[in-house]
Amino acid sequence: MNPNDGFRELGRQECLDRLGDAAIGRVVHTRDALPAVLPVNFSLDAESAVVLRTSADSELARSIDGVVVAFEADAVDAAAHSGWSVVVTGRAVVVDDPAEHDRLTRTGPRSWVASPHDVFIRITSELVTGRELVGGITLYGVDLPS
């Protein structure tokens, strides 16, 4: 990241804190050898993994179990020309332990779409990166005109 481009790099804990405040994120994975992006609701668990809840019959559950994916969440203020973005990269695994599934049913994310059989997917936070655009600052720290 160029220190003069108007962006500020976020540390790991700051990235996780921002994710904790976000409601929606995007899973980036491969479908039929092409990139695919799917918006999802999520939560973070105690180990800083991203946890998703989806139908056991979903294409998402079938396509990402056991593979490395990226997860992105952000917030943007278009009027103030500011915002942040966080990306978590790690292995996605369908939670198959019944006790863990029961715990996540009580504490994990709530599904926005009813399904007769939900599964939880955990994405480990092996690599966490983020950046913030500070409003009113552009290339080389020059203030934007009003």
Side-chain angles (χ1 to χ4, degrees):
M1 191 172 306
N2 182 333
N4 293 318
D5 66 2
F7 288 94
R8 180 177 72 84
E9 186 173 358
L10 303 175
R12 180 182 174 90
Q13 189 57 54
E14 192 172 10
C15 288
L16 294 172
D17 291 344
R18 303 275 176 117
L19 285 178
D21 292 336
I24 301 294
R26 285 159 280 300
V27 177
V28 182
H29 63 103
T30 302
R31 180 176 29 198
D32 299 328
L34 296 171
V37 180
L38 185 65
V40 294
N41 65 314
F42 70 99
S43 65
L44 292 178
D45 71 7
E47 291 82 37
S48 302
V50 173
V51 179
L52 316 173
R53 185 176 190 166
T54 189
S55 168
D57 298 327
S58 71
E59 181 270 332
L60 179 65
R62 288 189 307 274
S63 68
I64 70 172
D65 187 24
V67 301
V68 174
V69 300
F71 177 84
E72 189 272 344
D74 55 38
V76 176
D77 183 337
H81 302 140
S82 64
W84 59 266
S85 174
V86 170
V87 176
V88 172
T89 305
R91 186 164 306 278
V93 178
V94 172
V95 174
D96 57 7
D97 177 61
E100 181 67 0
H101 186 277
D102 289 345
R103 185 186 72 77
L104 288 171
T105 299
R106 293 186 309 278
T107 63
R110 302 288 171 235
S111 181
W112 287 15
V113 178
S115 170
H117 183 63
D118 287 341
V119 294
F120 292 95
I121 299 170
R122 178 176 282 119
I123 302 170
T124 58
S125 58
E126 295 173 30
L127 177 62
V128 180
T129 60
R131 64 189 201 156
E132 174 184 39
L133 176 61
V134 180
I137 302 295
T138 65
L139 187 64
Y140 304 109
V142 177
D143 289 335
L144 285 173
S146 298

